[in-house]
Amino acid sequence: MISKDLIIDSGLKEISIALLEQKQLVELNKEKKDIRFAVGDIYLGKVKKIMPGLNAAFINVGYERDAFLHYLDLGAQFRSLHKYYEIAIKRKGKMLPVHKFKNEPDINKEGKITDVLKTGQTVIVQVTKEPISTKGPRLGSEISIAGRNLVLLPFSDKVSISSKIESAEEKNRLKTLIQSIKPKNFGVIVRTVAEGKKVATLDAELRELVERFERAFYDLRKDISKPRLFIRELNLTNAILRDILNVSFTNITVNDQALAADIKQYVREIAPGKEKIVKIYKGDSPIFDYFGVTKQIKALFGKTVSFKHGSYLIIEHTEALHVIDVNSGNRSKVDTDQETNALEVNLEAAKEIARQLRLRDMGGIIVIDFIDMQSNDNKQKLFDTMKEIMADDRTRHNILPLSKYGLMQITRQRVRPEMDISVEEKCPTCNGAGKIGPALLYIEKIERDLKTIIEKVKTRNFILKVHPFLGAYLTKGLFPVYRKIAKRNNCKLEVRAINSYHFLEYRFTDKFGDEIDLG
């Protein structure tokens, strides 16, 4: 059984979430604490401009660039959704429940945007793609609200079962079950994790999703301003838990007590008895350093990524596509024939590429230049291996067989910007100018800053956080440098090595780990 660990680093400005399988980093997500847009968020927007030539409209949802809504993304039930919104803002008494609402006729699949929308009109829209590069968000009006086991589709009546559930008997059971419990005017998509779930579990979740949707309309009259957020998708942390938590999950470790309590409560609701896997990290080192995540990030996010036996990938990103070049490196010296060597390198490369796609969340068109092979059987084996490895990727994707030039094309759904982390460290002293101050005086600079801090704060108990190389110098010997500094300044000083720091970066904190501002 593959062990899965989730490591969550809650910082001042963002939450970083690392998914490890067999201690190997396979997914990394970062969520700004002040993030404004996320896939799944539902907004009250205002039609800013109609574009008949594009059969689309630009919608103001509060972003600096207007969001894009194409006619084909309105959804067949757009008129029903809009009519229900109008009833909600005009009502005087109780809100009409959706199951008692009479649906409006579906819009024409081949109609025009001008038949449905007009400038200044209020529309309910859902973010389907986050802002990427210079583009604003991409929107749709076919609203869906995702839960752990089910996805709710208001003003629809269709019931769909995940294609990843292979048993025809289980598919029929789930379809019959959902059709018997779902209210009128609601469609449902049954997710893969619903396989084997009891009716009570699915019924409780369905009721909660319906209530969440209807409650938003009930609360509309309290705030009819627009544009504004209408129904928020789960935050990234809970969304990831919702999508990936299963019986094979081993640990969820988080360094924030309040967030840990929220996650534990969420786990208790969706998987009773599993809340013990949520643990609070209380160590002195940063949580990503302690679990080896920082080191893996540094090794995996560069332009060149090494894998087995000296082979490596070169990964290039452009606005239009991503290009990955496979190189055998030292493997070319191995005493095997060229075809066998090429196959072995390509199969190992396929594993690393699948990992990189998930890790960087690369989307759009990915072109891979594998090492040339002559055998059609070997080409087919590589294609089958890539499909098998990519089966674990939750993001929708399509893989094409190798071309005669050894190129493989993968299209992968892109709904948010690619994860791009620079692993090249900028010199903190010269700021990239190429020249630094005299190294001989660097320790004196640290001591001067310590003196400044002592004059500003009452405490005389400090922690000096530094890069491991600098830490090794400060702590070497029977009477190390840092103790001499502490003695000269009549204070207590502890040196702590931080892997994620730049080479000459250092920071002072108090004994509780709170950073002391030098400004």
Side-chain angles (χ1 to χ4, degrees), residues 97-139:
V98 173
H99 71 270
K100 292 185 179 180
F101 173 76
K102 184 178 179 181
N103 276 0
E104 294 289 303
D106 290 355
I107 65 172
N108 183 357
K109 288 182 181 179
E110 285 157 23
K112 301 295 182 185
I113 196 81
T114 49
D115 298 335
V116 183
L117 297 181
K118 59 184 179 182
T119 304
Q121 178 180 338
T122 298
V123 286
I124 296 175
V125 287
Q126 188 166 29
V127 178
T128 58
K129 285 187 180 180
E130 289 182 14
I132 296 173
S133 187
T134 58
K135 301 173 184 176
R138 180 77 182 252
L139 305 175

Side-chain angles (χ1 to χ4, degrees), residues 143-145 150-160 178 182-190 206 209-210:
I143 304 301
S144 63
I145 301 178
L150 309 171
V151 178
L152 186 72
L153 306 173
F155 307 106
S156 170
D157 270 319
K158 66 180 180 181
V159 175
S160 303
I178 295 299
K182 80 171 187 66
K184 184 182 176 185
N185 292 338
F186 283 107
V188 175
I189 298 173
V190 180
L206 182 59
L209 293 174
V210 169

Side-chain angles (χ1 to χ4, degrees), residues 403-446:
S403 72
K404 66 178 181 178
Y405 300 110
L407 300 177
M408 179 180 288
Q409 180 179 308
I410 299 175
T411 54
R412 191 171 183 271
Q413 186 179 27
R414 179 165 68 172
V415 296
R416 57 177 56 89
E418 173 215 346
M419 178 70 66
D420 185 20
I421 296 175
S422 175
V423 295
E424 294 179 348
E425 298 182 356
K426 185 177 180 180
C427 172
T429 305
C430 72
N431 289 319
K435 295 180 180 179
I436 65 172
L440 187 65
L441 303 179
Y442 195 74
I443 300 303
E444 290 185 16
K445 182 177 182 299
I446 292 176

Side-chain angles (χ1 to χ4, degrees), residues 14 58 91 140 144 157 329 345 364 380 388 399 422 449 476 493:
E14 69 179 9
F58 285 99
R91 70 178 173 85
S144 63
D157 270 319
V345 172
Q380 184 64 40
E388 182 182 341
I399 305 171
S422 175
D449 286 343
K476 71 174 183 176
L493 187 63

Side-chain angles (χ1 to χ4, degrees), residues 146-148 191 193 238-245 266 394:
R148 166 70 173 160
R191 307 182 75 178
V193 290
N238 280 347
I240 289 175
L241 286 175
R242 177 192 66 198
D243 292 342
I244 66 176
L245 185 66
Y266 181 73
R394 300 189 311 276

Side-chain angles (χ1 to χ4, degrees), residues 172-236:
N172 290 333
R173 181 189 79 89
L174 288 168
K175 191 160 190 174
T176 303
L177 190 159
I178 295 299
Q179 285 174 333
S180 69
I181 63 174
K182 80 171 187 66
K184 184 182 176 185
N185 292 338
F186 283 107
V188 175
I189 298 173
V190 180
R191 307 182 75 178
T192 309
V193 290
E195 187 171 7
K197 292 292 193 304
K198 295 180 179 178
V199 62
T201 301
L202 300 178
D203 183 55
E205 182 173 311
L206 182 59
R207 288 173 184 271
E208 193 276 327
L209 293 174
V210 169
E211 196 219 341
R212 188 175 168 209
F213 179 74
E214 293 185 339
R215 187 171 60 243
F217 285 89
Y218 181 82
D219 295 338
L220 248 181
R221 296 192 70 191
K222 297 177 184 177
D223 182 7
I224 60 172
S225 62
K226 49 198 175 292
R228 73 170 178 84
L229 185 64
F230 185 47
I231 302 175
R232 181 178 288 283
E233 164 71 321
L234 288 172
N235 63 47
L236 184 60

